[in-house]
């Protein structure tokens, strides 16, 4: 009589990912419903700069529209990072613990950087520029977060993730960051010329060093 060995079947829990996508889509729907005109201008951000001209006031940085879409951005970007790490073999795309760790790290990194920028801006007397600059950054990066959301859904339920896709997304992020800098330089060229040393110090300390440090830590690990 043959001996039968029972091997437990390991089933990955995907429910939390589905719930996560639903929450993100609900936040987008709520934002679109509550701020219909503004959302309409926002989705055309890469086509024209109407949104930036209308909502250039610094108070818009802490508005509910910005906060809700910022949450969507964090959810979307964190999941894309999880997908990349999964593709590289460091974790799995259904590992909710890894996702929480990534989300916590990104949230802490962004908020800490924002607070440090506020302190430095006050010290160097360049609050107006930094607040406008942050508004530009948040607007463009939130737009990327919205674009990543449907991409994340497709990548999670398929096996389309590859090196070219990762490099393409990184290239788009680099282009958008470059656009942010160029627009800011154009709009505040007179202010920056008078405070050029402080601006260069700000760029090196808070726009280059943190990302280089992150790259160094990740590659060494």
């Amino acid at each position: 009589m043959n001996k039968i060995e029972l091997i437990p079947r390991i089933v990955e829990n995907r429910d939390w990912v589905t719930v996560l996508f639903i929450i993100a889509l609900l936040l987008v729907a709520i934002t679109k419903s509550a701020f219909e005109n503004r959302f309409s201008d926002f989705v055309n951000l890469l086509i024209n700069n109407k949104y930036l001209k209308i909502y250039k006031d610094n108070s818009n940085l802490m508005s509910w529209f910005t906060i809700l879409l910022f949450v969507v951005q964090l959810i979307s970007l964190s999941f894309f990072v999880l997908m990349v790490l999964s593709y590289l073999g460091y974790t799995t795309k259904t590992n909710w613990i890894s996702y929480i760790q990534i989300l916590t790290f990104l949230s802490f990194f962004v908020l800490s950087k924002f607070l440090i920028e506020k302190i430095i801006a006050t010290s160097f007397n360049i609050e107006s520029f930094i607040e406008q600059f942050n508004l530009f950054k948040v607007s463009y990066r939130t737009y990327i977060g919205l674009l990543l959301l449907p991409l994340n859904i497709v990548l999670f339920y398929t096996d389309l993730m590859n090196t070219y896709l990762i490099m393409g997304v990184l290239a788009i992020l680099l282009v958008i960051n470059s656009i942010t800098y160029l627009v800011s330089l154009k709009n505040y060229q007179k202010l920056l010329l008078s405070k050029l040393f402080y601006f260069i110090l700000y760029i090196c300390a808070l726009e280059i060093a943190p990302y280089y440090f992150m790259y160094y830590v990740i590659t060494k690990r």
Side-chain angles (χ1 to χ4, degrees):
M1 183 176 181
N2 295 330
K3 183 179 179 181
I4 300 176
E5 182 179 357
L6 298 178
I7 301 176
R9 180 184 178 186
I10 301 176
V11 181
E12 294 181 324
N13 183 8
R14 297 180 172 221
D15 293 343
W16 72 269
V17 181
T18 303
V19 172
L20 185 71
F21 288 149
I22 292 175
I23 291 173
L25 291 173
L26 280 175
L27 289 176
V28 175
I30 291 171
T31 306
K32 184 178 183 301
S33 177
F35 307 92
E36 187 173 354
N37 292 332
R38 183 172 179 177
F39 189 86
S40 178
D41 294 330
F42 178 76
V43 295
N44 294 318
L45 184 61
L46 294 184
I47 301 175
N48 57 64
N49 60 351
K50 179 182 177 182
Y51 176 83
L52 295 177
K53 288 181 177 180
I54 296 176
Y55 304 100
K56 63 181 180 180
D57 187 80
N58 296 334
S59 61
N60 289 303
L61 186 62
M62 299 304 294
S63 66
W64 276 109
F65 178 88
T66 305
I67 293 173
L68 289 173
L69 290 185
F70 177 72
V71 173
V72 175
Q73 175 197 349
L74 284 178
I75 292 174
S76 184
L77 183 59
S78 299
F79 194 81
F80 182 77
V81 173
L82 178 68
M83 294 291 293
V84 172
L85 294 178
S86 173
Y87 175 76
L88 296 176
Y90 292 105
T91 184
T92 63
K93 61 183 181 181
T94 56
N95 190 329
W96 64 272
I97 296 179
S98 295
Y99 178 79
I100 294 296
Q101 291 173 335
I102 295 169
L103 180 63
T104 302
F105 173 77
L106 287 180
S107 301
F108 177 78
F109 175 78
V110 172
L111 294 177
S112 299
K113 187 170 177 290
F114 176 76
L115 292 175
I116 295 173
E117 286 175 351
K118 294 285 288 185
I119 296 173
I120 292 180
T122 303
S123 303
F124 293 161
N125 196 26
I126 51 175
E127 299 98 326
S128 178
F129 166 72
I130 296 301
E131 289 179 0
Q132 192 71 56
F133 185 52
N134 280 328
L135 184 60
F136 283 161
K137 288 193 298 182
V138 169
S139 298
Y140 281 109
R141 291 174 183 177
T142 299
Y143 196 94
I144 287 296
L146 288 181
L147 294 180
L148 282 178
L149 184 57
L151 179 62
N152 285 333
I153 296 175
V154 173
L155 292 177
F156 179 74
Y157 293 106
T158 63
D159 295 319
L160 298 178
M161 176 66 79
N162 56 66
T163 304
Y164 297 106
L165 180 62
I166 296 172
M167 297 303 295
V169 172
L170 293 178
I172 292 174
L173 290 174
L174 181 60
V175 169
I176 289 181
N177 279 332
S178 300
I179 292 174
T180 304
Y181 289 125
L182 291 175
V183 172
S184 300
L185 289 172
K186 180 181 178 181
N187 292 342
Y188 287 88
Q189 54 184 336
K190 292 182 179 180
L191 174 64
L192 292 179
L193 288 175
S194 63
K195 300 181 182 294
L196 186 60
F197 172 76
Y198 297 130
F199 176 69
I200 294 175
L201 183 62
Y202 165 81
I203 291 295
C204 294
L206 293 176
E207 293 299 325
I208 297 178
Y211 298 105
Y212 176 78
F213 176 75
M214 289 175 60
Y215 170 78
Y216 178 83
V217 171
I218 293 173
T219 53
K220 286 301 180 181
R221 289 191 63 182

